[in-house]
Amino acid sequence: MKNGLCKKAGDDMHIKIASSCVRGIAHKALDMPCQDYVASMQEGQRAVIALADGAGSRMFSQIGARIATQTVCKICMEAFDSLFEMQEEVLAHYLSEKIQNELHNGTYSLS
């Protein structure tokens, strides 16, 4: 475990993913949406999950949280095996650069 990631799953491992986001009391009282988001992707024996705590002080932060988590899942799934071989500093730089580029160049649905 060079970079803090979990060990790769064996061929006999079955993957199930469950997630939930709940709108808090303060958001309910102010009639604000839940601004947190959890995204996941699964391909065969590979699974990626990302979560974001939306910036409650910003309008539409729930959209930013969704876009950010979906982007992280996509990037991690594309480079899944190579991520396990990277040293922590290299991994952090790689992910930061890829995420910024994807968010800058991507087209996203706001709904």
Side-chain angles (χ1 to χ4, degrees):
M1 203 161 86
K2 293 180 184 176
N3 55 23
L5 295 174
C6 297
K7 245 168 84 171
K8 294 181 198 178
D11 290 335
D12 61 342
M13 184 173 181
H14 298 284
I15 298 170
K16 293 182 181 181
I17 298 173
S19 64
S20 177
C21 293
V22 178
R23 185 168 68 146
I25 295 169
H27 282 179
K28 286 180 184 177
L30 296 171
D31 197 30
M32 295 173 63
C34 177
Q35 296 170 321
D36 306 332
Y37 200 85
V38 178
S40 62
M41 291 180 78
Q42 183 177 350
E43 293 179 6
Q45 293 295 313
R46 298 176 178 162
V48 175
I49 186 166
L51 58 102
D53 183 7
S57 63
R58 299 290 183 203
M59 185 179 283
F60 305 119
S61 70
Q62 71 275 13
I63 297 169
R66 177 180 49 82
I67 291 170
T69 55
Q70 290 173 343
T71 300
V72 167
C73 283
K74 176 182 175 234
I75 289 168
C76 288
M77 189 57 75
E78 289 172 352
F80 192 88
D81 289 326
S82 63
L83 296 178
F84 289 92
E85 304 304 321
M86 293 182 190
Q87 295 295 324
E88 191 170 331
E89 297 81 21
V90 174
L91 176 64
H93 178 75
Y94 172 84
L95 289 175
S96 178
E97 190 172 290
K98 291 290 278 186
I99 291 164
Q100 288 179 42
N101 287 339
E102 183 73 23
L103 291 174
H104 179 72
N105 297 322
T107 305
Y108 303 95
S109 168
L110 299 181
S111 57

